Amino acid sequence: MFSKILVPFDGSNSAEGAIRKAVELAALTGGEIVLLTVYRHHSMLEASFSMVRPSDPGNMDEILRRHAQEVAEHGKSIAREAGAEKVRAFIKSGPPARTIVAWAKDKEVDLIVLGSRGLGSVEGYLLGSVSHKVTGLAKCPVLVV
């Protein structure tokens, strides 16, 4: 039924709950858990803010990528602790909702399980949350936890 279950993971409590629910479903179906942590490419405005810091912050994209990798590995450990037998974690750069939906389509995911509220910014209130966008754009079933 659900052989590949995608869980977008941003490190929030809601996303942790989504991992646990996905693990339950995977146990029932023999499915695999696939975690995806999406990070945004920094803008020139963010780059200009880094110029006021006393020390060189380094390459912002590399810093964001490393942090996303740590978040993804943390999600993987949560899934394993919850009893997941098959779990993999990936990171990707881009706008969260569209990146999740495109990745799910490309990898032929059977189900997306995501938290209702993540670590989003004020943009989420103005444009709609990532979970709302994913449910509207995804071609596969979506479970919002």
Side-chain angles (χ1 to χ4, degrees):
M1 183 177 203
F2 299 125
S3 62
K4 191 180 288 186
I5 302 171
L6 172 61
V7 183
F9 185 68
D10 64 359
S12 67
N13 290 337
S14 184
E16 287 186 22
I19 288 175
R20 289 184 181 88
K21 182 56 70 179
V23 170
E24 288 176 29
L25 291 169
L28 294 172
T29 64
E32 170 188 21
I33 303 291
V34 182
L35 302 176
L36 178 64
T37 298
V38 179
Y39 66 99
R40 291 179 176 217
H41 171 78
H42 80 284
S43 69
M44 289 307 291
L45 178 61
E46 291 165 324
S48 67
F49 286 144
S50 69
M51 294 171 61
V52 299
R53 294 184 183 145
S55 62
D56 179 19
N59 180 324
M60 289 299 287
D61 285 328
E62 181 60 24
I63 291 167
L64 292 170
R65 188 194 67 72
R66 279 196 310 257
H67 177 70
Q69 187 66 47
E70 290 172 11
V71 170
E73 289 299 320
H74 176 65
K76 208 168 155 180
S77 68
I78 291 168
R80 286 200 173 114
E81 288 171 11
E85 293 182 20
K86 296 179 267 184
V87 59
R88 294 185 294 158
F90 300 89
I91 62 169
K92 187 99 172 118
S93 174
R98 292 196 182 277
T99 302
I100 291 163
V101 170
W103 201 88
K105 181 181 177 186
D106 183 53
K107 302 300 182 190
E108 299 178 347
V109 167
D110 301 309
L111 174 69
I112 301 172
V113 179
L114 74 166
S116 60
R117 243 5 197 174
L119 296 175
S121 62
V122 174
E123 178 183 301
Y125 295 108
L126 300 175
L127 302 175
S129 68
V130 171
S131 58
H132 180 74
K133 289 180 189 176
V134 169
T135 58
L137 296 171
K139 301 299 181 199
C140 66
V142 178
L143 174 61
V144 180
V145 177

